[in-house]
Amino acid sequence: MSSRRVFLKRTAAVCSIGSSVPQVWRQAASAAGPDRDATILVVVELTGGNDGLNTVVPHANDVYQKSRPTLRVKPDKVLKLDDLVGLNDALKDMQPFWDGGDLAVIQQVGYPNPNRSHFESMAVWQSGAAGQAAAPAGWLGRAADAHPGLSPCHVGPAAPPLAVRGRTAAPQSLASLAEFQLAPGADLGPAAESKNTNSGPVVEAIRAQYREASDLLRRLEQVPRDGGTLPVAGTLEGRLETVRRMIAAQAPARVYYTSLDGFDTHAAQVYAHPRLLRTLAESLAAFFKNLKESRDDARTAVLVFSEFGRRLKENASGGTDHGAPGPVLLVGPGVKGGLYGSHPDLSKLDEVGDPRFAVDYRDVYAAVLRRWLDVDPSPIVGPREAAFNLFG
């Protein structure tokens, strides 16, 4: 990403880039917009370590009920997926996805020798290489290295996460669509319109980028807005609305990455966790509702994960401590809905009191890469067997 900025900065004088042009224009993607039928992947990271046992609840398990006297979700409050597990009732807006066969719930996802540090475990998940937390590029970034048309885009206030950073691919990053708005009276300068054929290939490449950026701005302005109140940009719903409008405007990206923070629930979890799950479910429901209006829902899938789950037993502060495996959710009309992976065995915990993982997260990534993005996963996550068919 920095190399792209340096390159554009050094050629700015040639292209007559004004100081009023927002930084995002200097990061305009060089690829054309994706095919209208191309599949889209949206990743939502639940930052902080989501309590998987209170998300996909083992409601019929006596060990669960006894281990969480104040935090347990009672069986009559669970949205049952089968006789043993169900969704937390705060996820009620996800029920239509389940009923329609558009929600895959993958249980007990993790990796060998789990690390309970936020930083280390998130690096493992984002790199796609267990045991190589310091990998220089992430799993989606490496996919984009081999397939530039994926063109990852991070939506959020922070720097692009490792997951979308490639060795050569530079992810776009924006906090909101406000970054695509020019200051009053500003334009992209003569670089966007010049027909001069004697300027050389470098300058012409820059001009092409600016023309594509200008075209994207016009398409974004033409995307119909939801008739209701626009969501706040800094919320998950607002970030997903930014993603939705980028998809509808045929932006170059086929991969989008965003997050919902606050899942490090060491205390007072009974209040915080349901609120977070409700935010997740309501935001996803609104996202797909609006995608359907632009007929982009069928080609969009959302992957929801967290860096680890939480400990089986609640702590003395009314919360849960760092754990190991947790559920991964896949949502969308192209998803083959259902329960995947084994139910948590709460009678056989590891040495620190966590359920043991049953599904390697790289198997989930491999299925997403191969069956949704049509990318060979072997160079990215290794030679993984086809554990699940999560799409179709």
Side-chain angles (χ1 to χ4, degrees):
M1 193 168 184
S2 60
S3 61
R4 172 69 57 83
R5 285 199 296 265
V6 170
F7 177 65
L8 290 174
K9 182 177 179 180
R10 288 175 179 172
T11 56
V14 180
C15 296
S16 300
I17 301 172
S19 61
S20 60
V21 179
Q23 179 67 18
V24 72
W25 294 103
R26 300 188 178 115
Q27 301 170 5
S30 59
D35 185 283
R36 188 67 186 180
D37 296 326
T39 53
I40 302 288
L41 176 68
V42 181
V43 179
V44 177
E45 168 194 307
L46 306 182
T47 307
N50 175 44
D51 183 3
L53 292 173
N54 269 21
T55 301
V56 181
V57 183
H59 58 83
N61 192 301
D62 289 339
V63 176
Y64 164 79
Q65 297 292 339
K66 293 176 181 177
S67 298
R68 299 187 167 199
T70 64
L71 294 181
R72 65 188 179 190
V73 182
K74 296 179 180 179
D76 62 343
K77 296 292 185 181
V78 170
L79 307 173
K80 294 183 179 179
L81 305 180
D82 67 7
D83 292 338
L84 298 177
V85 299
L87 296 178
N88 189 306
D89 61 341
L91 292 169
K92 64 180 180 180
D93 283 354
M94 302 291 287
Q95 183 79 54
F97 294 105
W98 177 261
D99 294 341
D102 299 339
L103 172 62
V105 178
I106 310 156
Q107 303 181 97
Q108 298 301 100
V109 185
Y111 57 91
N113 303 314
N115 192 304
R116 293 167 178 83
S117 158
H118 292 295
F119 178 81
E120 297 295 337
S121 191
M122 186 58 76
V124 168
W125 276 85
Q126 291 192 11
S127 70
Q132 300 180 37
W139 70 287
L140 293 168
R142 295 199 303 279
D145 287 339
H147 302 268
L150 294 180
S151 190
C153 178
H154 166 249
V155 178
L162 172 65
V164 295
R165 298 203 303 265
R167 294 184 175 90
T168 58
Q172 188 179 39
S173 184
L174 64 154
S176 72
L177 287 182
E179 296 188 17
F180 276 95
Q181 297 173 354
L182 296 173
D187 59 41
L188 294 180
E193 306 297 337
S194 174
K195 304 296 184 181
N196 185 351
T197 59
N198 299 318
S199 54
V202 174
V203 173
E204 192 52 42
I206 297 297
R207 285 175 175 155
Q209 289 182 333
Y210 273 69
R211 286 193 293 269
E212 289 157 9
S214 180
D215 289 343
L216 176 57
L217 176 60
R218 284 192 287 267
R219 293 197 302 271
L220 282 167
E221 291 174 343
Q222 294 168 3
V223 174
R225 297 180 181 272
D226 185 6
T229 303
L230 288 176
V232 177
T235 64
L236 178 61
E237 186 178 0
R239 289 191 288 272
L240 288 176
E241 174 62 7
T242 291
V243 172
R244 197 274 304 181
R245 293 178 65 81
M246 295 279 282
I247 293 172
Q250 301 181 57
R254 287 184 58 204
V255 171
Y256 293 89
Y257 197 103
T258 192
S259 62
L260 175 62
D261 199 0
F263 286 87
D264 198 16
T265 51
H266 287 282
Q269 181 176 311
V270 69
Y271 306 108
H273 193 245
R275 184 182 70 251
L276 289 164
L277 294 183
R278 193 172 300 111
T279 295
L280 173 66
E282 291 174 353
S283 299
L284 289 175
F287 177 62
F288 275 101
K289 174 181 176 292
N290 291 332
L291 278 175
K292 190 171 184 178
E293 293 178 2
S294 61
R295 299 182 180 180
D296 290 304
D297 56 323
R299 69 189 187 107
T300 304
V302 177
L303 170 71
V304 182
F305 84 100
S306 190
E307 70 264 35
F308 48 62
R310 314 295 292 188
R311 196 65 42 84
L312 168 61
K313 293 184 177 181
E314 64 181 68
N315 61 32
S317 300
T320 50
D321 297 323
H322 297 180
V328 168
L329 308 180
L330 267 170
V331 192
V335 171
K336 187 176 180 180
L339 273 171
Y340 296 85
S342 58
H343 296 321
D345 186 348
L346 302 184
S347 65
K348 297 180 180 179
L349 305 178
D350 66 15
E351 63 279 1
V352 297
D354 291 325
R356 300 177 184 274
F357 90 98
V359 176
D360 194 300
Y361 78 110
R362 291 165 294 181
D363 288 330
V364 178
Y365 287 179
V368 170
L369 289 167
R370 184 186 300 280
R371 298 187 179 275
W372 190 248
L373 295 177
D374 196 24
V375 170
D376 179 8
S378 300
I380 300 164
V381 294
R384 315 298 304 179
E385 295 185 7
F388 306 115
N389 181 10
L390 299 169
F391 303 93

